[in-house]
Amino acid sequence: MAASRMVAHPPPNLHRQSPPSGALTLRPKRYRNLGIRSCLRGHEEKKSDLAAKPHSVELRTSPDDVVSRDPLVLPRPLTSTQLSASVSDGSRLRVAYQGVRGAYSESAAQKAYPNCEAVPCEQFDTAFEAVERWLVDRAVLPIENSLGGSIHRNYDLLLRHSLHIVGEVKYAVRHCLMANHGVKLEGLKRVLSHPQALAQCENTLTKFGLVREAVDDTAGAAKHVAFHKLQDAGAVASSAAAKIYGLNILAEDIQDDSDNITRFLMLAREPIIPGTDRPFKTSIVFSLEEGPGILFKALAVFALRQINLTKIESRPLRNQPLRASDDSNNSKYFDYLFYVDFEASMADQSAQNALRHLKEFATFLRVLGSYPVDTST
Ligand SMILES: O=C(O)C(=O)C[C@]1(C(=O)O)C=C[C@@H](O)C=C1
């Protein structure tokens, strides 16, 4: 039996229930912040071994066809409080994404898992938890964009949760400026969108002289503009969102560079078996002792073995952000976690040797996943 077609059954105490339908009422208050609402749980920063034993399980679950035809009453995103609700037993893969229908993340989920049932979630944390609690089979979440840079929140959540990266998908993001029918560009004062989308359209929005307002996702912005019939505000979102929410496109391709690619991670409860039959990438996170040249030494474990690095990101060690120095001045250093992607499979001897070497002086090391490179763009 192909490992990728095994059927996994959810724990018996969880029962399937559809995400509730109904209009999403977006509170204006949320439009003044970046929309991260859930409480953070503490880090589990302990020195750990390398990744769990790899084995592949592809969950196959049932469809949940409760999609209404009215775009303003589409299924509501799962919230953190609804996470105890459901698990499935049918045949379609359920894939969580952050946002509402028409978000780029939904398109990325469809690209990653064609014919899947894409399940909207209110926050990134909700999507992580939905997988962990067997409400869905996978999550597809943005991690970096070629213009806007890293999505730091998801780096932090990768560590806080125990999901595995099982793939990546690159999606070409093409933004449109949209408004209600009859509203002209000259009549717009404000523009609503996800902060990443606003950042990716910085030059155009400045040229148009629009005040930016950050919301949870691009399609949510379009939905809000449509639902409240706003006359002074537009949204930056996909052409799909304009169609779903009945908005008029005022300008197309407004991103600052035509090559605007967002890289999404595919996350699952179980890792996949790393292969060597095609290009693989491995993502790790580690922390180091303080000292001169220690990061140089850490990165040298890859350079020594001709392993190419494709990404490095540092994030504060949030449960212990400051470290006392050994000097007499009582000064303190900031403490960091380093996220590194490298071009090798965990099935490669050289990658195993590199990580064994890194473990000799890393204070913490975790393999987040070893997965096929998306070469599609
Ligand atoms: O708001 C959306 O539509 C999303 O899918 C989120 C998101 C992101 O978080 O970066 C995804 C792709 C684009 O880069 C802009 C926004």
Side-chain angles (χ1 to χ4, degrees), residues 97-100 102-108 124 141-146 148-149 151 154 171 173 175 193-198 200 215-220 236-238 260-264:
Y97 69 93
Q98 188 269 332
V100 297
Y104 295 103
S105 299
E106 182 188 29
S107 305
F124 291 137
L141 297 172
I143 195 73
E144 59 174 329
N145 172 270
S146 54
I151 289 114
N154 281 334
Y171 187 81
V173 171
H175 292 300
S193 199
H194 187 280
Q196 269 281 341
L198 294 172
Q200 292 159 22
V215 299
D216 286 349
D217 71 286
T218 56
V236 170
S238 64
N260 185 29
I261 309 286
T262 301
R263 186 174 153 247
F264 291 80

Side-chain angles (χ1 to χ4, degrees), residues 295-347:
L295 181 59
F296 175 83
K297 208 172 143 191
L299 299 183
V301 307
F302 302 102
L304 286 170
R305 296 170 178 88
Q306 308 298 321
I307 298 174
N308 190 38
L309 305 186
T310 54
K311 177 82 204 275
I312 176 161
E313 182 71 43
S314 63
R315 296 289 303 146
L317 199 61
R318 290 176 72 142
N319 68 339
Q320 189 199 315
L322 295 182
R323 181 204 299 241
S325 76
D326 294 336
D327 63 33
S328 51
N329 302 332
N330 248 351
S331 56
K332 295 207 170 193
Y333 294 105
F334 285 12
D335 226 339
Y336 292 102
L337 286 161
F338 298 98
Y339 291 80
V340 166
D341 292 350
F342 60 86
E343 280 180 331
S345 164
M346 278 309 293

